[in-house]
Amino acid sequence: MIDRDFSARGGVAYVDRQVGTWGSGFKGHRRATWPFARLRVGAKEIGVSSLFGQFRVTRTNLVSISRFGHVPVVASGVKFVARDHDEAVIFWAIDIRKVVDELHRYGWPVADK
């Protein structure tokens, strides 16, 4: 049993749900750089908090979680898509592998794109 939630500081970008890669089509509607976002991962909920408020993912509203980016450290993150949000959220972290490992440890599926 996991006794407490995982937490990490990073950056955040709110993007169109269809955005699949970093590049010419990438346009963030709202962005906050490190350390102005915090990711919290628990068994029942994932939360991303920033200057823009809270983005919550639960087991029932989850559409997908996927790796995002192509340049390690500089542009590497995790994209969260939830049914009840018009935008997706990309959480950027210095050690994204640790974030992905923690998501797996809590039983959250992460697609490796």
Side-chain angles (χ1 to χ4, degrees), residues 30-85:
R30 295 172 284 164
R31 295 183 194 183
T33 59
W34 185 94
F36 297 109
R38 178 174 291 283
L39 172 74
R40 293 191 196 285
V41 178
K44 296 180 182 180
E45 183 176 272
I46 298 168
V48 178
S49 58
S50 69
L51 306 168
F52 310 112
Q54 291 281 329
F55 182 91
R56 295 185 194 276
V57 177
T58 65
R59 303 265 179 203
T60 56
N61 78 350
L62 175 66
V63 173
S64 66
I65 302 171
S66 57
R67 293 287 304 263
F68 190 90
H70 68 281
V71 180
V73 180
V74 175
S76 194
V78 179
K79 178 181 164 188
F80 298 96
V81 179
R83 282 184 188 84
D84 52 357
H85 294 278

